Amino acid sequence: MKRLLRQLGTLHPPPPPQRSAGIIGAPFCRGQLRGGGDQGPDRIRAAGLLTRLTETGCAVKDYGNLAFEDVVDDQPVGLVKRARAVGAANQRLSEAVHAVKKDGHTAVMLGGDHSLAIGSIHGHAAAVGDLSVVWVDAHADINTPLSSYTGNIHGQPVSYLLHELHSKIPVLPNFSWIKPCVSARDLVYIGLRDVDPAEHYILKLLGVKVFSMSELDHLGVARVMEETCDYLTAKVKKPIHLSYDIDAIDPSVTPATGTPVVGGLTYREGVYIAEHIGQTGLLSAVDMVEVNPLRGQTEEDVRSTVSTAVDLLLGCFGRLRGGNHAPDYRLPEP
């Protein structure tokens, strides 16, 4: 009987399908006022991302960096800064992510600032339909153009994507292509610790699931991730878009970022989040944003930030800190 079962393969199930990463560089940082974020994609690649993904058994296709047109006359629209440039760049990115998903890959968007999540999530949803979004960040980035104190769009991307806030978004140049594609019920925040009053009001009004650093301290990262995945899969298992801002990690680990906030995730907590999402089998796209080499005080600051970004992405694609080996690995014969 055992021989028959072996022949049928039931005692030796096939290995899981190979993961496949389609990488897009988005060297764009006009969603805020500090230069340098556009260097993030190349620095992350230069730290060995592609080689190390391949070593984990992941297939990799690098689509290169997107080219973004300069917008000459980009005066503020009300308080909103650089709307024309941000809108045009995100439309380009949406099309690129859509193409990567249609090619069958898990999309990996290397930013750039977090305004790019508008195009990344929009293109992802256009390709696969309804999504769940896990937003790992020190900031909620859910201000509307009218509630923002700064007018910087990297603090607003979620508001453009949510169905529930569609009526609160004014007409902006180069934004007419954007259609809301995420429901508040399908959004989870992890790591919040710097939330504006208007954002706090919006989160409470919409009933968004939030694990601030206070909740994470109380529950522990393992419990937070269990509750996150239980919440998102309670009814329907939707593809997951993980939008990871490097400033979610404490600036003692990742100082080379534009808006660092003390009291963040440890390196271990940050990697655990990535590993857990990757192990669900639902991860369909990931953003890695706000790495800014010009904000580090030393080269070691930059190296620590960039290497952490690489490790977070490796966690998403199956690298385990306890070690990995290929499914067909065999010990060499003497």
Side-chain angles (χ1 to χ4, degrees):
M1 183 64 179
K2 288 185 178 179
R3 182 180 302 171
L4 176 60
L5 289 172
R6 288 193 186 96
Q7 290 173 347
L8 293 174
T10 55
L11 291 184
H12 300 282
Q18 185 182 35
R19 300 169 191 254
S20 176
I23 298 174
I24 303 171
F28 179 86
C29 61
R30 295 180 67 81
Q32 43 82 65
L33 299 181
R34 290 171 170 164
D38 53 342
Q39 298 179 19
D42 287 342
R43 289 298 295 260
I44 293 171
R45 285 193 186 92
L49 175 63
L50 277 64
T51 299
R52 296 181 67 190
L53 281 172
T54 302
E55 290 172 350
T56 69
C58 179
V60 179
K61 180 174 180 180
D62 189 352
Y63 288 77
N65 286 347
L66 297 177
F68 301 110
E69 296 181 5
D70 290 332
V71 178
V72 178
D73 183 20
D74 203 4
Q75 298 301 312
V77 181
L79 190 62
V80 179
K81 299 181 176 73
R82 298 171 170 175
R84 294 168 181 84
V86 175
N90 274 288
Q91 184 173 17
R92 175 78 182 90
L93 177 59
S94 176
E95 294 165 354
V97 170
H98 184 274
V100 170
K101 290 306 303 174
K102 288 303 182 183
D103 285 346
H105 304 293
T106 299
V108 179
M109 187 275 284
L110 306 178
D113 69 57
H114 219 162
S115 70
L116 293 163
I118 299 170
S120 182
I121 293 175
H122 185 277
H124 186 190
V128 306
D130 291 340
L131 298 172
S132 295
V133 175
V134 178
W135 196 276
V136 186
D137 201 329
H139 311 89
D141 294 348
I142 199 171
N143 268 309
T144 72
L146 301 181
S147 72
S148 170
Y149 296 116
T150 67
N152 295 327
I153 300 179
H154 79 154
Q156 306 171 29
V158 179
S159 71
Y160 298 93
L161 297 165
L162 287 182
H163 294 291
E164 292 85 350
L165 292 179
H166 183 54
S167 64
K168 304 299 182 182
I169 306 300
V171 174
L172 294 173
N174 290 347
F175 274 73
S176 61
W177 59 275
I178 298 172
K179 300 296 184 291
C181 55
V182 178
S183 295
R185 167 62 180 77
D186 296 321
L187 171 64
V188 176
Y189 283 98
I190 300 173
L192 297 188
R193 57 191 184 277
D194 185 11
V195 180
D196 292 343
E199 294 180 303
H200 185 260
Y201 174 81
I202 292 169
L203 294 172
K204 295 296 183 182
L205 179 68
L206 301 184
V208 177
K209 189 73 167 176
V210 174
F211 294 101
S212 70
M213 286 307 302
S214 296
E215 278 84 19
L216 199 139
D217 286 342
H218 176 67
L219 298 172
V221 68
R223 174 76 177 276
V224 164
M225 294 316 298
E226 288 173 5
E227 291 194 12
T228 293
C229 292
D230 287 347
Y231 175 81
L232 292 177
T233 61
K235 294 183 179 179
V236 179
K237 292 183 178 181
K238 299 175 183 177
I240 292 176
H241 189 112
L242 174 60
S243 200
Y244 217 128
D245 190 322
I246 200 68
D247 73 24
I249 310 297
D250 191 80
S252 62
V253 179
T254 58
T257 187
T259 50
V261 184
V262 297
L265 299 167
T266 66
Y267 171 89
R268 288 163 56 189
E269 290 169 337
V271 173
Y272 187 94
I273 291 167
E275 290 174 346
H276 197 95
I277 295 294
Q279 290 167 14
T280 65
L282 298 174
L283 181 63
S284 184
V286 56
D287 308 324
M288 182 56 60
V289 298
E290 299 284 355
V291 171
N292 187 336
L294 296 187
R295 302 305 299 175
Q297 297 299 310
T298 66
E299 183 56 31
E300 175 57 26
D301 286 350
V302 178
R303 187 207 63 78
S304 179
T305 305
V306 170
S307 65
T308 300
V310 171
D311 287 349
L312 295 173
L313 291 169
L314 292 175
C316 291
F317 286 91
R319 190 200 70 166
L320 300 176
R321 285 169 286 171
N324 297 74
H325 69 271
D328 58 351
Y329 183 82
R330 296 290 184 271
L331 288 173
E333 297 296 332

